[in-house]
Amino acid sequence: MTAAHHYALRHAQASETALTNLFTGRPARGIVNRVMRELGAINPAAPAFPTAGGALMPLKAKDEAGFSNLWSGQALRLGKDMTTYELTRELAAQALARLK
């Protein structure tokens, strides 16, 4: 995850997410960014899957926050700020507690 994506996840509200087909060619939910605002989140001119991802690569390289996909569900504020190691340890502890 990029720094811009991490920042967006920590600061965006659920109302700032939308379904978009611009990054993959298929609908997926992400935090609204410059591309989604300027082209419309769902755009019939978006390249079909799987070619859509490559179409934005030159723009992504120039401006991470404005042109990269910022995937997120509607419940983004419920997420925890933790490393994958911490998450794995927490899940393992919860599983072991249920097994006892």
Side-chain angles (χ1 to χ4, degrees):
M1 178 184 311
T2 65
H5 193 176
H6 189 258
Y7 180 87
L9 287 170
R10 294 184 71 188
H11 294 90
Q13 300 299 314
S15 61
E16 297 176 84
T17 68
L19 288 176
T20 183
N21 66 339
L22 298 173
F23 299 101
T24 66
R26 293 182 177 164
R29 184 167 296 279
I31 298 169
V32 176
N33 64 8
R34 180 178 174 183
V35 170
M36 293 165 71
R37 280 190 301 276
E38 291 185 11
L39 299 177
I42 297 290
N43 189 315
F49 178 84
T51 58
L56 291 174
M57 290 305 278
L59 294 174
K60 288 180 183 182
K62 292 181 185 248
D63 179 61
E64 182 63 35
F67 297 104
S68 288
N69 51 303
L70 303 172
W71 300 131
S72 174
Q74 286 178 297
L76 71 158
R77 305 306 301 146
L78 298 177
K80 293 182 180 181
D81 190 12
M82 60 177 32
T83 65
T84 53
Y85 174 80
E86 293 167 332
L87 175 61
T88 302
R89 298 281 300 183
E90 183 176 308
L91 292 173
Q94 290 173 8
L96 290 172
R98 289 185 181 201
L99 291 172
K100 288 183 180 180

